[in-house]
Amino acid sequence: MNEQFSEEILEKIMLGVASAGNAKSLGKESICLANENKFEEARNLFKEAKKSLLEAHSFHFDFIQKEASGEKIELSLLLVHLEDHIMTTSSFLDSLEDQINLIERVSKLESLILNK
């Protein structure tokens, strides 16, 4: 096997991928909770998702700092995979808070209509 990465770099990439994946999973769970009218729980999971995404960003930022200080970071499919996970999860979470708020508004309106 070609020794393209040190153990440390490979570990950071995989931890970053796992953190981003966890963030996306938590986000999906939060939208499910919102659809069950469990808005406080949904928002708590959303906050956890944002924290997990921040962890993924920190692993990625380590690579940026290393490269900025002159250390060569080899581009690989694994690193691209990490960046893809971060970007897609970031986009997903950017809209998620608005979705939870909209679901709550619709739920309140439905309640008002049905209780009249």
Side-chain angles (χ1 to χ4, degrees):
M1 181 176 148
N2 184 359
E3 293 279 334
Q4 186 175 8
F5 295 119
S6 69
E7 275 298 311
E8 176 192 0
I9 289 176
L10 184 58
E11 183 178 351
K12 284 184 180 183
I13 289 172
M14 298 313 289
L15 288 171
V17 168
S19 294
N22 185 53
K24 187 178 276 187
S25 292
L26 290 169
K28 288 178 179 180
E29 286 181 52
S30 73
I31 200 79
C32 288
L33 287 170
N35 282 319
E36 295 171 5
N37 294 330
K38 299 176 181 176
F39 300 108
E40 185 175 338
E41 293 172 54
R43 287 191 176 87
N44 288 336
L45 269 186
F46 174 75
K47 288 176 188 174
E48 285 183 47
K50 294 291 272 188
K51 286 179 189 175
S52 194
L53 182 61
L54 189 59
E55 287 176 20
H57 272 294
S58 71
F59 290 115
H60 187 257
F61 189 68
D62 283 348
F63 296 123
I64 293 170
Q65 284 182 313
K66 286 179 188 284
E67 192 161 302
S69 67
E71 186 177 329
K72 179 70 174 145
I73 302 295
E74 292 294 324
L75 183 61
S76 74
L77 189 56
L78 287 173
L79 190 53
V80 171
H81 184 61
L82 169 60
E83 291 176 343
D84 180 55
H85 265 296
I86 290 170
M87 293 307 299
T88 57
T89 302
S90 182
S91 294
F92 172 62
L93 293 183
D94 283 347
S95 67
L96 190 59
E97 189 169 26
D98 290 335
Q99 290 177 44
I100 292 169
N101 289 338
L102 285 172
I103 292 168
E104 185 172 28
R105 288 176 65 193
V106 167
S107 176
K108 287 178 181 178
L109 289 171
E110 285 176 339
S111 180
L112 285 172
I113 291 168
L114 294 175
N115 290 326
K116 283 191 171 189

